[in-house]
C-alpha cells in the first residue's frame, strides 16, 4: 500500500502558511471541552503539553521519571539550530532546509523539513522570552557557533547544557499550566498500551510505578512524545530509562513504524571500558570545532600521544574532507573512526578509540578561552576517565545516540491511527537517514510549540466528538492484556537477569546492525535475536511483585519490547538494499567508501505494519519526491 | 590508568515503603573495578542480589551523566558522596580504597518521603516551581530574540544559577532541610534577566511561600548546601533571593 503523507499543495515556501489557513479551527470556547493526553515530557512532549494548555485544551501529561524536568532531552549538550543569520554569514531558511535534507541523505520529506527551518526562528524568540540564558557576545546579543555538517554558524547554545536549559524552559511553562489547572501531571507513570475505539485513539493504559496499579485514562486525542529507541543497543548515550515501549505498543495496535533501521551513531563519545558498563557518555560535537581528530599513521603504534611526532600522525578527516574537515556530518565521522580502528590504528587499551586533540586550539586561543567554551565537558571527561584533556588528547569512539526512525506520521504529525499523534524523536519525520548536530532540539520544540498545537486542532474540529469513558470494553481489553504481560514476566522464575538479556541483545545489534551492516550479518542477527527472545521468555528472573515499586519489572517489560523490536530493525535494514546516511550496507559503497544510495529503488520511507509477534510485518511505502533540491551524492570534500 | 579491584563492605538503607521503619543491611561486595561509577557498583550488587533470589536495592537514576538530577543518596554522610561538584552517577570507584566501609542512605527531609530504599519523593520541588519558577509567556507572541540585549556578565551569572539540576542534595545537606539554594537558583536566573523582571516581586513572594508550605526549613547560613551541590551553585544566590523577597515585601504592591 502506498502511504499518503498529506503534504499540502503549492510552492514549498507557502505550504505551511496555506495549510494553517486551510486547517479548521477549534473555537476558543470549545477547546476546554477537549481532553488531550501527552505521553512524555521532554522537549517535544513538555512544549506540546504546555502549549496545548495555553490554547485552552485540557491536558493530561505523563512521564515515567519522578518529575517532567528529568526527561532525557535534558542531556543534550551542544545547541539548537535556527536560520536567524545573526552572524551575517549567508544563512537562510532555505539553506537550513537544504543542509538538513542533504545531511539526511535525501530520505526525509521535503515539506516537513522546510517547515522545520521556517519555525526554527520562532523557537529562539520564544526561548529567549522564557528566560533561557543562551550564550551572548560582549554587546549583549546572542552568540552562535558552527556545528557538524554545516558551514555557517547557526547554533545557539547555553554552555554545554543547551538541552537542560531548553527543557527547563518547557518544564517551567508546563508547571505554569499545572498551577493554572489546565494540565494534570502524572509522573512515575509508564504508558503500557494505547486504547483504540472505532479506529480512533481514545486513551491509554498506564502503570503507576510506585503502587503498581494499572490505570485507565481517556481523551479525545493521544500524543506520543516518548523519545527514541537507542537503548536497543544496551549501551548508548540515552538515559537508562529511555525505551521503545510506548511506541512499540502503539505499533502493536496498528501504528506503522517507519525506517526503524535508521539509527545515529555519534562520533564523539567516551570509549567503552568494561563489561559492567551501564551507559556511554557523549562528548558534545561542538568539540570538533576546536579539536582535531587523529590516529597514528602506522598500525599498532602504542606510544603515548605526546611521543608521536607530528609527521607520524594522520589527521584523517582533514586529509579526506578538506572543505569540512573535522566538521563532517556524524555518520561520516563515525564510519571513518571505525575504518581507522579496523586498520589497527585505534588507540587506547582496547584499540577502539581515536584522539580528539585540543593542543593546537589551546596554543592558539589560550587555555582560558577553551575552558570557557568546553570547561564542563572537559571536567566530565576527567571525572569518567581520570585523564585531563587540557594536557593529553581525549580518546573518543562512536556510540549509539539518536534514532531517526520512529512511528510514521503524516504532515500533520498524525500516525495512520486517527487521533494518535507522534512528535519529537519518537516520530520518523524530519531527519531522513542521518540527523545533523543541533537539529534534534530544534525538531522537538518545533513539533511541540509550533506544529502540533495547530494540526491537532484540525483533527479535533473535523471529527465528531465521541465521549468515550474508561468503562468502554476497549479499555477493559487493554488493561487485561497489560496485566497478563506483567503477570507472565513475574511468573517465569528463571535464572538469568533482565540486564543479562539486554546486554546480549545490545552486543548482537552493535555487531550486526551498527555502524556498518551486511546481508549475511543481518540474517545471522535475526536468528540470534529470535533465539535470545525465546530464551528470555523461558529463563528470565524478575524479582518482587506487581503491586510495588519494582524497577526490575519496569526494565523487564522494556527489554521484552526491545527483543521484539530489534528484529523489526533487522528486517528493515535487510529490505533497504542501499546505503544511506546512518544505514551503511557494505555491499553498497562508492570507490571512496562513502554511502551509495539507490534512488531508483529506495527513495522512499519504509513503514511496517505489525502482524503478530512471530509473523513478518507488512511493508508499506511512502515514495519521497524531491521537487526543490537536486538528488545528489553527498560530498563533504 | 589501569583499573584496580576493590573489596567493599556496604551498609545500605533498606525500607519497604514510607510507613516502614527501615534498617541498614550489611553487604560484602568483591571485585569492584575502580573504573566503575558508584551506580554501576550498585548495578553489580543488584545483579548479585537478584540471582540470590533477594530484592535488589531500589534507587533512582536515569541519565548517568550528571545532568538529569534523578540520582542521589547520602554516601558516608555526604549527599552524592565526598567528591566536590559531582553527582552520584559521576562519582567513580577510584575514589575509594580497598576494604572501605560505605554507608548509603536516602536523602532525608520532611518534604522528601522515602518511596523505597534509596528512592525518595521530591515532587515538592515541582510544586515550588509551580508557584512561580517561570516567566509567564505563551508560545507565539515573542519579539525577535535579539531585540533586548542582555549584558554578557549578567547572562553568565544567570546561567551559573540556571545550572541547578533539582536533585535535592542541598536539602539533604542542610540541618534545617531548607530548599533555599534550590529556590534561589531558579529565582536568581529569572531576576537577573530583563525578561524575568516584570514578575520578579510576585515570584519571590510566591516561591518562598510555597517553600514554607511544602515543609522545607529556613536558611541559617550553614552553607552546607553550597558545599554539597553537585553543580556548585553559589550561596550568593540565597542573598539575592533574600533581597528580592524584601524588595517585594516592602517596595512593591505584589501580594
Amino acid at each position: 500500500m502506498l502511504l499518503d503523507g498529506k503534504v499540502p499543495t503549492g510552492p514549498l515556501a507557502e505550504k505551511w502558511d496555506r495549510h494553517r489557513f486551510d486547517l479548521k479551527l477549534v473555537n476558543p470556547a470549545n477547546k476546554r471541552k477537549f481532553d488531550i493526553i501527552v505521553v512524555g515530557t521532554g522537549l517535544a512532549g513538555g512544549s506540546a503539553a504546555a502549549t496545548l494548555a495555553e490554547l485552552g485544551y485540557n491536558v493530561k501529561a505523563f512521564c515515567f521519571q519522578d518529575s517532567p524536568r528529568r526527561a532525557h532531552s535534558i542531556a543534550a549538550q551542544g545547541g539548537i539550530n535556527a536560520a536567524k543569520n545573526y552572524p551575517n554569514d549567508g544563512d537562510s531558511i532555505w539553506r537550513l532546509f537544504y543542509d538538513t535534507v542533504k545531511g539526511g541523505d535525501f530520505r526525509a520529506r521535503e515539506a516537513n523539513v522546510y517547515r522545520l527551518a521556517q519555525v526554527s526562528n520562532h523557537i529562539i524568540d520564544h526561548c529567549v522570552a522564557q528566560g533561557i540564558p543562551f550564550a551572548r557576545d560582549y554587546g549583549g546579543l546572542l552568540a552562535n557557533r558552527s556545528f557538524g555538517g554545516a558551514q555557517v554558524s547557526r547554533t545557539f547554545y547555553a554552555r554545554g547544557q543547551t538541552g537542560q536549559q531548553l527543557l527547563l524552559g518547557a518544564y517551567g511553562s508546563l508547571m505554569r499550566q499545572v498551577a493554572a489547572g489546565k494540565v494534570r501531571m502524572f509522573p512515575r507513570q509508564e504508558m503500557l498500551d494505547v486504547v483504540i475505539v472505532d479506529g480512533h485513539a481514545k486513551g491509554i493504559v498506564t502503570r503507576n510505578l510506585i503502587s503498581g496499579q494499572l490505570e485507565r485514562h481517556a481523551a479525545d486525542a493521544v500524543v506520543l512524545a516518548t523519545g527514541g529507541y537507542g537503548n536497543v543497543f544496551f549501551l548508548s548515550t540515552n538515559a537508562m530509562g529511555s525505551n521503545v515501549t510506548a511506541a512499540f505498543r502503539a505499533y502493536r495496535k496498528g501504528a506503522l513504524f517507519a525506517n526503524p533501521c535508521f539509527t545515529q551513531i555519534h562520533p564523539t563519545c567516551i570509549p567503552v571500558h568494561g563489561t559492567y558498563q551501564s551507559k556511554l557518555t557523549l562528548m558534545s560535537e561542538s568539540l570538533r570545532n576546536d579539536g582535531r581528530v587523529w590516529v597514528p599513521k602506522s598500525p599498532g603504534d602504542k606510544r603515548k600521544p605526546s611521543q608521536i611526532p607530528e609527521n607520524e600522525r594522520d589527521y584523517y578527516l582533514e586529509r579526506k574532507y578538506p572543505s569540512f574537515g573535522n566538521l563532517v556530518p556524524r555518520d561520516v565521522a563515525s564510519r571513518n573512526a571505525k575504518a581507522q580502528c579496523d586498520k589497527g590504528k585505534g588507540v587506547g587499551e582496547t584499540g577502539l578509540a581515536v584522539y580528539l586533540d585540543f593542543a593546537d586550539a589551546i596554543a592558539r586561543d589560550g587555555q582560558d578561552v577553551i575552558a570557557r567554551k568546553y570547561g564542563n565537558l572537559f571536567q566530565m571527561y576527567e571525572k569518567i576517565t581520570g585523564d585531563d584533556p587540557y594536557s593529553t588528547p581525549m580518546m573518543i569512539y562512536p556510540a549509539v545516540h539518536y534514532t531517526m526512525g520512529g512511528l510514521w506520521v503524516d504532515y500533520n504529525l498524525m500516525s495512520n491511527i486517527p487521533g494518535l499523534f507522534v512528535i519529537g524523536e519518537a516520530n520518523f519525520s524530519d531527519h531522513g537517514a542521518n540527523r545533523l548536530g543541533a537539529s534534534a532540539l530544534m525538531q522537538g520544540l518545533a513539533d511541540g510549540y509550533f506544529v502540533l498545537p495547530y494540526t491537532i486542532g484540525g483533527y479535533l474540529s473535523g471529527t465528531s466528538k465521541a465521549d468515550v469513558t474508561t468503562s468502554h470494553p476497549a479499555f477493559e481489553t487493554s488493561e487485561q492484556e497489560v496485566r497478563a504481560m506483567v503477570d507472565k514476566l513475574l511468573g517465569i522464575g528463571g535464572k538469568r537477569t533482565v540486564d543479562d538479556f539486554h546486554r546480549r541483545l545490545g552486543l548482537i545489534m552493535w555487531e550486526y546492525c551498527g555502524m556498518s551492516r551486511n546481508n549475511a550479518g543481518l540474517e545471522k542477527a535475526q536468528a540470534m535475536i529470535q533465539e535470545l527472545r525465546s530464551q528470555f521468555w523461558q529463563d528470565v528472573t524478575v524479582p518482587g511483585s506487581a503491586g510495588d515499586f519494582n524497577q526490575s519489572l519496569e526494565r523487564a517489560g522494556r527489554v521484552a519490547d526491545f527483543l521484539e523490536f530489534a528484529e523489526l530493525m533487522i528486517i528493515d535494514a535487510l529490505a533497504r538494499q542501499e546505503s544511506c546516511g546512518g544505514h551503511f550496507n557494505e555491499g553498497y559503497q562508492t570507490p571512496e567508501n562513502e554511502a551509495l544510495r539507490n534512488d531508483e529503488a529506495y527513495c522512499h520511507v519504509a513503514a511496517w505494519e505489525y502482524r503478530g509477534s512471530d509473523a513478518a510485518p507488512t511493508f508499506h511505502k511512502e515514495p519521497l519526491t524531491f521537487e526543490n533540491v537536486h538528488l545528489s551524492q553527498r560530498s563533504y570534500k | 590508568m589501569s583499573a584496580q579491584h576493590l573489596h567493599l563492605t556496604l551498609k545500605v538503607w533498606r525500607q519497604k515503603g514510607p510507613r516502614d521503619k527501615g534498617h541498614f543491611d550489611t553487604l560484602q561486595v568483591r571485585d569492584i573495578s575502580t573504573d566503575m561509577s558508584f551506580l554501576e557498583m550498585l548495578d553489580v550488587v543488584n545483579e548479585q542480589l537478584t540471582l540470590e533470589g533477594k530484592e535488589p536495592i531500589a534507587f533512582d537514576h536515569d541519565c548517568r551523566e550528571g545532568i538529569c538530577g534523578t540520582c542521589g543518596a547520602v554516601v558516608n554522610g555526604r549527599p552524592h558522596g565526598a567528591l566536590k561538584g559531582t553527582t552520584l552517577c559521576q562519582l567513580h570507584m577510584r575514589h575509594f580504597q580497598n576494604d572501605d566501609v560505605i554507608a548509603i542512605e536516602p536523602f532525608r527531609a520532611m518534604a522528601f518521603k522515602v518511596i523505597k530504599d534509596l528512592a525518595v519523593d521530591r515532587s515538592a520541588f515541582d510544586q515550588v516551581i509551580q508557584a512561580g519558577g517561570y516567566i509567564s509567556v505563551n508560545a507565539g507572541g515573542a519579539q525577535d530574540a535579539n531585540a533586548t540585549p542582555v549584558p554578557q556578565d549578567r547572562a553568565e551569572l544567570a546561567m551559573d544559577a540556571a545550572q541547578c539540576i533539582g536533585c535535592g542534595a542541598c536539602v539533604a545537606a542542610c540541618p534545617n532541610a531548607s530548599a533555599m539554594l534550590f529556590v534561589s537558583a531558579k529565582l536568581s536566573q529569572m531576576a537577573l534577566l530583563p525578561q524575568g523582571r516584570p514578575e520578579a516581586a510576585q515570584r519571590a513572594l510566591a516561591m518562598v511561600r510555597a517553600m514554607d508550605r511544602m515543609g522545607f526549613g529556613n536558611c541559617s547560613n550553614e552553607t552546607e548546601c553550597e558545599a554539597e551541590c553537585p553543580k556548585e551553585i553559589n550561596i550568593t544566590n540565597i542573598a539575592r533571593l533574600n533581597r528580592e523577597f524584601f524588595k517585594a515585601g516592602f517596595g512593591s504592591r505584589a501580594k
Side-chain angles (χ1 to χ4, degrees), chain A residues 62 67 69 107 185 200 241 272 294 311 355 467 474 512 556 613:
Chain A
F62 296 80
S67 163
R69 66 178 291 149
R107 290 293 176 264
M185 190 64 231
H200 289 249
V272 178
W294 65 275
N311 62 1
Y355 289 126
D467 282 316
Y512 300 107
S613 281

Side-chain angles (χ1 to χ4, degrees), chain A residues 54 67 70 84 86 125 131 136 138 140 159 161 171 176 188 240-241 278-279 383-384 497 548 551, chain B residues 40 47 59-60 62-65 70 85 94 116 126 138-139 144-145 150 152 156 160 163 166 189:
Chain A
E54 286 165 9
S67 163
R70 310 215 194 274
K84 283 284 193 185
Y86 285 155
D125 296 341
R136 288 174 183 272
Y138 290 112
R159 296 192 193 149
Q161 294 130 281
Y171 161 77
R176 173 173 165 242
R188 291 198 196 260
M240 302 302 286
S278 60
K279 80 154 273 160
K383 273 181 192 157
I384 293 170
T497 63
D548 190 14
Q551 293 171 311
Chain B
E40 284 167 349
E47 287 287 282
F59 65 97
D60 275 325
D62 203 23
C63 78
R64 297 209 176 183
E65 47 191 274
T70 310
R94 66 180 73 96
K116 188 175 179 180
D126 291 328
N138 287 2
D144 184 83
V150 180
Q152 196 196 40
E156 290 294 312
D160 288 343
Q163 293 191 83
Q189 175 197 347

Side-chain angles (χ1 to χ4, degrees), chain A residues 247-461:
Chain A
F248 191 73
R249 307 265 169 121
Y251 165 70
R252 289 174 68 125
K253 279 291 175 82
L256 302 179
F257 214 110
N259 299 335
C261 81
F262 286 172
T263 50
Q264 175 160 84
I265 316 278
H266 195 292
T268 53
C269 301
I270 299 179
V272 178
H273 54 77
T275 50
Y276 47 78
Q277 196 160 351
S278 60
K279 80 154 273 160
L280 296 172
T281 302
L282 176 77
M283 288 284 104
S284 167
E285 184 167 32
S286 61
L287 294 169
R288 286 199 275 147
N289 280 328
D290 286 298
R292 299 180 69 195
V293 177
W294 65 275
V295 291
K297 273 187 182 162
S298 40
D301 189 338
K302 287 288 165 202
R303 286 177 290 174
K304 284 183 183 168
S306 57
Q307 292 166 348
I308 301 177
E310 199 62 26
N311 62 1
E312 291 178 42
R313 299 175 177 193
D314 182 9
Y315 295 89
Y316 57 90
L317 288 177
E318 296 171 22
R319 174 172 57 77
K320 287 178 70 178
Y321 308 97
S323 63
F324 277 72
N326 293 298
L327 290 175
V328 291
R330 292 175 176 176
D331 55 336
V332 178
S334 293
R335 263 201 303 283
N336 274 281
K338 180 178 189 297
Q340 297 299 326
C341 294
D342 288 349
K343 287 180 198 160
K345 297 183 184 180
V347 298
E349 277 180 41
T350 60
L352 289 175
V354 299
Y355 289 126
L356 179 63
D357 197 335
F358 293 88
D360 288 350
I362 290 169
R364 181 187 68 224
D365 297 340
Q367 184 158 330
D368 286 355
V369 171
I370 296 302
R372 209 175 308 137
K373 281 185 183 168
Y374 312 115
N376 65 322
L377 298 170
F378 279 32
Q379 196 184 22
M380 181 152 70
Y381 183 87
E382 186 175 4
K383 273 181 192 157
I384 293 170
T385 63
D387 284 339
D388 171 21
Y390 291 105
S391 56
T392 185
M394 279 186 183
M395 283 192 276
I396 54 162
Y397 198 64
V400 175
H401 180 54
Y402 186 88
T403 53
M404 283 75 69
L407 292 173
W408 183 85
V409 289
D410 63 16
Y411 186 74
N412 292 315
L413 305 182
M414 188 165 82
S415 71
N416 57 306
I417 297 175
L420 181 69
F421 291 79
V422 190
I423 58 176
E425 190 179 352
N427 75 25
F428 86 102
S429 68
D430 296 355
H431 305 297
N434 173 59
R435 179 175 66 73
L436 290 182
S439 284
L441 306 187
M442 172 172 69
Q443 185 224 336
L445 291 181
D447 287 1
Y449 284 134
F450 295 112
V451 180
L452 176 92
Y454 294 110
T455 59
I456 205 168
Y459 166 75
L460 293 170
S461 62

